[in-house]
Amino acid sequence: MTNTPLADLLAFQKDTEALGQVAGRLGWDQETVMPRGAAEQRAEEMAAMEQVLHARRTDPRVGDWLAACEGSEMTEADTAKLRHIRRSFDRASKLPAALSAEIARVTSVAQGQWAEARAKDDFAAFAPVLARVIELRQQEAQALSQGGDLYDALADDYEPGATAAELGAMFDEMRPRLVELRGKVLEKPAPAGLKGSFPDAEQMAFASRLALAFGYDLNRGRIDKAVHPFSSGSGNDVRITTRTNPEDPFNCFYSTIHEVGHACYEQNIDQGYLLTSLGQGVSMGVHESQSRIYENQLGRSRAFTGWIYEQMREAFGDIGVDSPEAFYAAVNRVQKDFIRTEADELQYNLHIMLRFDLERALISGDLKAADLEAAWNERFEADFGYAVPRASLGCLQDVHWSLGLFGYFPTYSLGNVYAGCLAQAMRKDLPDLDAALAKGETSSATSWLGEKVQRHGGLYEPKEVITRACGEAPSAGPLLDYIETKFSDLYGL
Amino acid sequence: MTNTPLADLLAFQKDTEALGQVAGRLGWDQETVMPRGAAEQRAEEMAAMEQVLHARRTDPRVGDWLAACEGSEMTEADTAKLRHIRRSFDRASKLPAALSAEIARVTSVAQGQWAEARAKDDFAAFAPVLARVIELRQQEAQALSQGGDLYDALADDYEPGATAAELGAMFDEMRPRLVELRGKVLEKPAPAGLKGSFPDAEQMAFASRLALAFGYDLNRGRIDKAVHPFSSGSGNDVRITTRTNPEDPFNCFYSTIHEVGHACYEQNIDQGYLLTSLGQGVSMGVHESQSRIYENQLGRSRAFTGWIYEQMREAFGDIGVDSPEAFYAAVNRVQKDFIRTEADELQYNLHIMLRFDLERALISGDLKAADLEAAWNERFEADFGYAVPRASLGCLQDVHWSLGLFGYFPTYSLGNVYAGCLAQAMRKDLPDLDAALAKGETSSATSWLGEKVQRHGGLYEPKEVITRACGEAPSAGPLLDYIETKFSDLYGL
């Protein structure tokens, strides 16, 4: 063969990407259609796939090919492809195989113990295995950081370039304004919620209509039910799941719109990047910016909820609220609650800041695993104004830490911040947006996002793609202004 | 590591088996739930998986490990495991990678051209690519056979140990008796078929009941709709598909029972063989013996159809026949037809013999691809007594040859022959079988098959597992006796 090192590397990477898609598809299968009795066998299958992928990511030829072509003249896209491959190769190569295997083993056990502890509201039963997970992730961070900040080394896997210092500064700006606003809002009476009959099958049918309204391509995707809503896959096979709750159709509808935001990002990436290292959303933060802007700035806007209101009355009859304005208030209702995943736009980021500060302290060693529950409860009361009654509503509510996902939580808020910046820029470019949304038409907005963000896939670094889309570097200001304006208006402040 | 070569080899093989299951799961996904627009991407994903599997099957370490442990003292099961690994390694190692890649490429094209030619009834449009497929498979057979019979080398992949000479002798015994019987039966008036309303959803519900009646474990499997019924996967994740035709519920019901036979074979293999080279059905012929005995000797028996008759009348009301005996005749109706997959028990094997003789001639070079249609039509008229009106009802009806599957067809008849032997032996051991079947109870039969055949997986060679189960070597006699008795009785001969 007389291929260039670049051609060899990209051909090799194409198969790695294809195998990564296969592993992702197994995950989808597991959460949607897999028979229950297949769980153990599936774990073996997944482990075998992970071994194949790990061997490819650390294949010494990748290092040789990279060394042979880095620095040469090449296209912008090829340069970006190499950047991703280099990052993945360096991360994977720095990690001792025994450590990775031990983390996989311990987090698998920890996830089971977490589920049991949560069911029994017994944090003490979870603390020892959590301590072990933290210890292993500290070791991983040491191997990766080579003297740098441990937390940054972990966060970099989810949000390349993110640092605890920068995230901390961002949260310091957000926290007082959000705490103040939530205090004022919760003094006001809560608006009424929906009442009516919302059968499962009709919720799913309505969710499909919403997905189509946001441009989700069902010829390259599908919608199934699962316990937890998620989006899975890249390119031309991007599937989403949702769930139904007969009492609360918003749970289904807004989960669907959220996952459609993730899925459309993947579906709208330039087809030329298919099965390359650019063929996926560039980071968790940018991914979340798409799901959040679909769900919140578009889906929960006064204009679009007016359209949903009419559609829901047609589909479900009497829904217990009798005006578009009352419906808009119900969609955006702020309530005292404990659970991050059910939080409204105003309170959501307070949940993240709490986790960010606690997990930084856990990784640095300033906070012991055994002391997590007390620290959580104290901080929660300070930010939310009321006490956590039990661990399942507090520090045991999320699966993330049992899986070792330290450094992941802040990407949710980063996504909100990016969505705030993008929404501000988009509204400047699209003065007639609300008139379209009021008719259920999202295409001007989704085309704008497709053009400015989604099509680029991994071409630009996270912050760069947002900066290019908005014409200025991202900051928390636009999101905070948007939240303050929206909720002051809704609650008559 | 201080593992023995045997331990290393078996550990390596476990991952290979797990990855093989993953590839199989992708195939299931493609035929059931995959979005249409994902087809091209999926082809890349499958190709990447195949490359991984091929590299593992031909990994030089496998050869070294085999050489280091073959001949040593070891358990019967480990000896059998090594036999399978050795066969796979030798086959894969003899094939030039370029030839395998070319076969994959050409058969992918050929399958498309076959579908188009079939839709247009235009054999001439398919002949050139068929000639190319044959040429490549001849080359493959030459590489594999190293001077031996070409057809045997191909058939060995589906039915280890099978030879054209032995299969030919078996068919020579079967053909005159079956041709004579079909002549007599078709002179008699055909029994009435079903009439009624058989909505899709109710067919699927009834099919699930049938699957459960035959012992299919839905905790380790699932039933979906697909264009072609199939069974997929091994061990604890064995899924089947079926299809519905509102006019013909038997199509759905007997396809389901057939696939349940395949699936139960896989589900009932000793759990100790999971993800080893013994953890799958040992050959296509033995597999087909299980699907056929479930479908025919059990499912189409007078006793069991009596039970189905009552169940169908409860589920569907008036079904157009009004006695168990008329229902039994409808289930086993013999008609003039052209399509193998819709053939009754009497005519099915005639379809196979025709294909067996033609494909042997194609591989030996005695028959040119361009002359296939004429040869098919001539032979069909000789065996069936009437002419083929168009190629889609003749030599273009099956996908197999476009895929290069030469040597596969005879395993269907071999399965029938094995089923005939097993049924005879089973009835000797279970004198009360019909009384149980008449109540819809199959467990004595399925337990007998589980114990005698299914649990062994790949432990014994195909012929050996049948011989052990029956107490004598397999032969066509029991099947022919069964068919002659059954249809003489049904048609009053």
Side-chain angles (χ1 to χ4, degrees):
Chain A
M1 306 290 259
T2 56
N3 284 336
T4 63
L6 180 61
D8 284 339
L9 175 58
L10 297 182
F12 185 87
Q13 183 66 22
K14 181 180 172 185
D15 285 340
T16 305
E17 297 286 344
L19 294 167
Q21 291 298 311
V22 172
R25 189 63 55 228
L26 278 192
W28 174 87
D29 185 275
Q30 188 164 336
E31 301 297 326
T32 54
V33 293
M34 187 183 82
R36 288 169 53 104
E40 278 184 46
Q41 180 173 331
R42 175 57 55 87
E44 302 279 358
E45 294 167 6
M46 287 292 281
M49 281 301 293
E50 282 305 323
Q51 249 182 59
V52 168
L53 284 164
H54 180 79
R56 293 185 72 91
R57 290 192 190 111
T58 57
D59 192 308
R61 288 174 297 171
V62 172
D64 296 342
W65 285 320
L66 280 169
C69 41
E70 279 167 340
S72 334
E73 194 74 23
M74 64 182 81
T75 64
E76 183 187 24
D78 286 346
T79 307
K81 287 174 194 167
L82 261 59
R83 190 174 63 235
H84 288 280
I85 300 171
R86 163 61 71 191
R87 183 185 290 129
S88 157
F89 177 76
D90 285 350
R91 273 191 83 89
S93 306
K94 281 179 194 161
L95 290 180
L99 178 60
S100 299
E102 180 68 358
I103 289 176
R105 200 189 62 72
V106 170
T107 53
S108 163
V109 172
Q111 195 188 352
Q113 295 194 5
W114 163 77
E116 231 173 280
R118 187 174 71 154
K120 294 182 185 156
D121 273 311
D122 180 6
F123 175 74
F126 176 59
V129 77
L130 176 63
R132 179 72 185 135
V133 171
I134 291 167
E135 196 184 323
L136 289 167
R137 290 284 276 164
Q138 285 167 333
Q139 288 173 24
E140 184 183 336
Q142 274 149 11
L144 290 169
S145 70
Q146 302 183 314
D149 184 85
L150 297 188
Y151 187 85
D152 289 358
L154 297 177
D156 190 69
D157 199 22
Y158 315 113
E159 195 68 21
T163 65
E166 217 175 38
L167 292 165
M170 183 181 88
F171 288 139
D172 286 346
E173 184 191 346
M174 296 168 72
R175 190 173 169 203
R177 285 172 68 176
L178 292 173
V179 169
E180 191 194 343
L181 181 61
R182 83 171 291 290
K184 287 186 191 162
V185 164
L186 285 184
E187 285 170 11
K188 299 280 180 171
L194 297 196
K195 275 184 201 153
S197 167
F198 309 101
D200 280 10
E202 291 168 38
Q203 283 193 39
M204 288 300 287
F206 199 88
S208 281
R209 289 182 54 200
L210 288 172
L212 292 172
F214 276 94
Y216 181 51
D217 181 357
L218 275 168
N219 186 45
R220 299 186 295 138
R222 53 180 287 132
I223 308 177
D224 294 271
K225 281 174 87 165
V227 176
H228 300 288
F230 63 91
S231 163
S232 150
S234 296
N236 297 321
D237 193 350
V238 188
R239 307 178 187 185
I240 64 168
T241 65
T242 189
R243 60 182 166 200
T244 55
N245 172 345
E247 321 265 287
D248 177 13
F250 288 154
N251 191 314
C252 173
F253 300 162
Y254 283 97
S255 290
T256 302
I257 299 174
H258 181 96
E259 299 308 332
V260 161
H262 284 302
C264 286
Y265 185 9
E266 295 291 336
Q267 286 188 330
N268 293 339
I269 292 173
D270 190 316
Q271 286 282 318
Y273 300 161
L274 197 69
L275 299 180
T276 74
S277 55
L278 307 185
Q280 298 172 44
V282 71
S283 74
M284 296 297 157
V286 177
H287 237 300
E288 197 72 7
S289 77
Q290 301 305 293
S291 58
R292 294 288 171 167
I293 199 169
Y294 278 53
E295 177 188 357
N296 291 334
Q297 281 88 350
L298 299 173
R300 289 194 167 95
S301 65
R302 178 176 270 125
F304 193 76
T305 55
W307 179 77
I308 300 190
Y309 171 68
E310 296 300 340
Q311 303 301 313
M312 278 191 72
R313 278 164 51 109
E314 260 176 49
F316 298 98
D318 182 5
I319 57 174
V321 298
D322 57 4
S323 75
E325 194 59 26
F327 185 84
Y328 176 54
V331 165
N332 290 288
R333 193 154 66 142
V334 177
Q335 287 177 290
K336 284 193 181 181
D337 201 356
F338 301 92
I339 300 295
R340 175 184 61 84
T341 56
E342 292 168 10
D344 51 80
E345 288 180 80
L346 198 175
Q347 296 182 96
Y348 189 90
N349 296 299
L350 292 172
H351 286 279
I352 297 302
M353 293 168 202
L354 176 162
R355 287 158 179 76
F356 171 72
D357 286 334
L358 292 177
E359 71 180 12
R360 266 202 304 170
L362 288 168
I363 292 297
S364 71
D366 291 346
L367 177 63
K368 298 288 158 222
D371 301 327
L372 173 64
E373 185 174 23
W376 178 292
N377 292 350
E378 188 186 339
R379 168 67 179 262
F380 188 89
E381 194 156 357
D383 279 6
F384 288 81
Y386 46 94
V388 174
R390 53 185 186 272
S392 60
L393 294 177
C395 66
L396 286 181
Q397 68 181 267
D398 293 308
V399 71
H400 298 58
W401 289 335
S402 76
L403 295 173
L405 296 177
F406 295 92
Y408 192 110
F409 279 123
T411 68
Y412 293 125
S413 277
L414 204 54
N416 285 328
V417 165
Y418 289 165
C421 300
L422 291 168
Q424 186 186 61
M426 183 170 69
R427 286 200 168 267
K428 268 186 209 144
D429 284 355
L430 304 175
D432 301 328
L433 178 58
D434 280 332
L437 291 176
K439 289 185 278 184
E441 290 164 12
T442 69
S443 64
S444 61
T446 55
S447 300
W448 191 92
L449 291 165
E451 175 65 24
K452 299 278 185 177
V453 177
Q454 296 170 353
R455 72 184 172 95
H456 298 305
L459 185 63
Y460 304 118
E461 292 286 275
K463 232 187 265 181
E464 191 186 354
V465 73
I466 304 297
T467 304
R468 281 173 169 265
C470 301
E472 60 187 31
S475 67
L479 176 71
L480 292 169
D481 293 347
Y482 155 79
I483 291 176
E484 284 170 348
T485 305
K486 176 172 182 171
F487 288 92
S488 297
D489 167 50
L490 264 164
Y491 283 83
L493 304 178
Chain B
M1 306 290 257
T2 56
N3 284 337
T4 64
L6 180 61
D8 284 338
L9 175 58
L10 297 182
F12 185 86
Q13 183 66 21
K14 181 180 173 186
D15 285 340
T16 305
E17 297 287 343
L19 295 167
Q21 290 299 312
V22 172
R25 190 64 55 230
L26 278 192
W28 173 87
D29 186 274
Q30 189 163 337
E31 300 298 325
T32 53
V33 293
M34 187 184 81
R36 288 169 53 102
E40 278 183 47
Q41 180 174 331
R42 175 57 55 88
E44 302 280 358
E45 293 166 8
M46 287 293 279
M49 281 301 293
E50 282 307 323
Q51 249 181 61
V52 168
L53 283 165
H54 180 79
R56 294 184 72 91
R57 290 191 190 112
T58 56
D59 192 308
R61 289 174 296 171
V62 172
D64 296 342
W65 285 320
L66 281 169
C69 41
E70 278 166 342
S72 335
E73 194 74 23
M74 64 183 81
T75 65
E76 183 186 26
D78 285 347
T79 307
K81 285 175 194 168
L82 260 58
R83 190 174 64 236
H84 288 281
I85 299 171
R86 164 60 71 192
R87 183 185 289 127
S88 158
F89 177 74
D90 284 351
R91 273 192 83 87
S93 305
K94 281 180 194 159
L95 290 180
L99 178 60
S100 299
E102 181 67 358
I103 289 176
R105 199 188 63 74
V106 171
T107 53
S108 163
V109 171
Q111 193 187 355
Q113 294 194 7
W114 163 78
E116 233 172 279
R118 187 173 72 153
K120 294 182 184 156
D121 273 310
D122 180 6
F123 175 73
F126 175 57
V129 78
L130 176 63
R132 179 71 186 136
V133 171
I134 293 167
E135 196 183 324
L136 290 167
R137 289 285 276 163
Q138 286 167 332
Q139 288 173 25
E140 184 182 337
Q142 275 149 12
L144 291 170
S145 70
Q146 302 183 315
D149 184 85
L150 297 188
Y151 187 85
D152 289 358
L154 298 177
D156 190 71
D157 199 22
Y158 314 114
E159 195 67 21
T163 66
E166 217 175 37
L167 292 165
M170 181 181 90
F171 288 139
D172 286 345
E173 182 191 348
M174 296 168 73
R175 190 174 168 202
R177 285 171 68 175
L178 293 173
V179 168
E180 191 194 342
L181 182 62
R182 82 172 293 288
K184 288 186 192 162
V185 165
L186 285 185
E187 283 169 13
K188 300 279 182 175
L194 298 196
K195 274 184 202 155
S197 167
F198 309 101
D200 281 10
E202 290 169 38
Q203 285 193 39
M204 289 300 287
F206 199 87
S208 280
R209 288 183 54 202
L210 288 171
L212 292 172
F214 276 93
Y216 180 52
D217 181 358
L218 275 168
N219 185 45
R220 299 186 295 138
R222 53 180 289 131
I223 307 176
D224 293 272
K225 282 174 84 166
V227 176
H228 302 288
F230 63 91
S231 163
S232 149
S234 297
N236 296 322
D237 192 350
V238 188
R239 307 179 186 184
I240 64 168
T241 65
T242 189
R243 60 183 166 200
T244 55
N245 172 346
E247 321 265 286
D248 177 12
F250 288 153
N251 192 313
C252 173
F253 300 163
Y254 283 97
S255 292
T256 302
I257 298 174
H258 180 96
E259 300 309 332
V260 161
H262 283 301
C264 286
Y265 186 9
E266 295 291 336
Q267 286 188 332
N268 293 339
I269 293 173
D270 191 316
Q271 286 281 320
Y273 300 161
L274 197 69
L275 299 181
T276 75
S277 56
L278 306 185
Q280 298 172 43
V282 72
S283 74
M284 296 297 155
V286 178
H287 238 299
E288 197 71 7
S289 78
Q290 301 306 293
S291 58
R292 294 287 171 169
I293 199 169
Y294 278 54
E295 177 188 356
N296 292 333
Q297 280 89 348
L298 299 172
R300 288 195 168 96
S301 66
R302 179 176 268 123
F304 193 75
T305 57
W307 179 76
I308 300 190
Y309 171 69
E310 297 300 340
Q311 303 302 310
M312 277 191 73
R313 278 163 53 105
E314 260 177 49
F316 298 99
D318 181 5
I319 58 173
V321 297
D322 57 5
S323 75
E325 194 58 27
F327 185 84
Y328 176 53
V331 165
N332 289 289
R333 191 153 69 141
V334 178
Q335 287 177 291
K336 286 193 181 181
D337 202 354
F338 303 91
I339 300 294
R340 175 184 61 82
T341 56
E342 292 168 10
D344 51 79
E345 288 181 81
L346 198 175
Q347 298 183 94
Y348 189 89
N349 296 298
L350 293 171
H351 285 280
I352 297 301
M353 294 169 201
L354 177 162
R355 286 158 179 76
F356 171 71
D357 287 333
L358 293 177
E359 71 180 14
R360 266 202 304 170
L362 288 169
I363 292 298
S364 73
D366 291 346
L367 176 64
K368 298 288 159 223
D371 300 327
L372 172 65
E373 184 173 24
W376 178 293
N377 291 350
E378 189 186 338
R379 167 69 179 263
F380 188 90
E381 194 155 357
D383 279 6
F384 289 80
Y386 46 92
V388 174
R390 52 184 187 273
S392 60
L393 294 177
C395 67
L396 286 181
Q397 70 180 266
D398 291 309
V399 71
H400 300 57
W401 289 336
S402 76
L403 296 173
L405 297 176
F406 295 92
Y408 192 110
F409 280 123
T411 67
Y412 292 125
S413 277
L414 204 54
N416 285 328
V417 165
Y418 290 164
C421 301
L422 291 168
Q424 186 186 59
M426 182 169 69
R427 286 202 168 264
K428 268 186 211 145
D429 285 355
L430 304 175
D432 301 328
L433 179 58
D434 279 332
L437 292 177
K439 289 185 277 185
E441 290 164 12
T442 69
S443 63
S444 62
T446 54
S447 299
W448 191 92
L449 291 165
E451 176 64 24
K452 299 277 185 177
V453 177
Q454 295 171 354
R455 72 184 171 95
H456 299 305
L459 184 63
Y460 304 119
E461 291 287 273
K463 232 186 266 181
E464 191 186 354
V465 72
I466 303 298
T467 304
R468 283 173 168 264
C470 301
E472 59 186 31
S475 68
L479 177 71
L480 293 170
D481 292 347
Y482 156 79
I483 290 176
E484 283 170 350
T485 305
K486 175 171 183 171
F487 288 93
S488 297
D489 167 50
L490 264 164
Y491 282 85
L493 302 179

